[in-house]
Amino acid sequence: LQHNIARPHTSLATTAHIAKFGWTVLPHPPYSPGLAPSDFHLFGPKKDGLSGQHFPDSDAVIAGVRKWLGSGGADFYGHGIQALVNRWQKCIMNGGDYVEK
């Protein structure tokens, strides 16, 4: 299990629940955009996919982003998770240093 930077994952209730499943929790630097799937896999393509569109209000933005997220398909998200595995391996090989690509 890999957490990003959210602090709730250190609570006693959360750590006990994770332990119940027998999951290994990978340590994570305080902020590492190279290891956050949202930063390296979603934000760039989302920006490109929504480029040039104009939204009249926040509800339209939410609808547009939801539509874009739904259009990716399983292969898009599967590729992002596999890329995370590769980035973790590079991070480990670099002794925890920042991983770009």
Side-chain angles (χ1 to χ4, degrees):
L1 178 65
Q2 182 231 345
H3 300 302
N4 198 356
I5 59 172
R7 295 297 301 159
H9 302 305
T10 60
S11 77
L12 184 58
T14 302
T15 54
H17 197 71
I18 290 169
K20 181 176 83 172
F21 287 110
W23 293 341
T24 300
V25 177
L26 300 172
H28 197 279
Y31 177 69
S32 183
L35 297 176
S38 56
D39 287 347
F40 76 79
H41 186 67
L42 289 179
F43 291 157
K46 181 183 69 176
K47 181 179 172 183
D48 293 341
L50 298 176
S51 177
Q53 296 184 43
H54 298 279
F55 302 99
D57 54 34
S58 60
D59 289 336
V61 172
I62 292 168
V65 170
R66 286 184 175 162
K67 181 178 177 184
W68 180 86
L69 288 169
S71 70
D75 288 341
F76 174 75
Y77 293 102
H79 175 73
I81 295 302
Q82 288 306 312
L84 177 61
V85 171
N86 295 332
R87 285 170 179 260
W88 260 107
Q89 290 170 341
K90 287 180 183 179
C91 180
I92 291 166
M93 289 173 43
N94 288 340
D97 287 342
Y98 178 77
V99 176
E100 192 163 321
K101 286 190 178 182

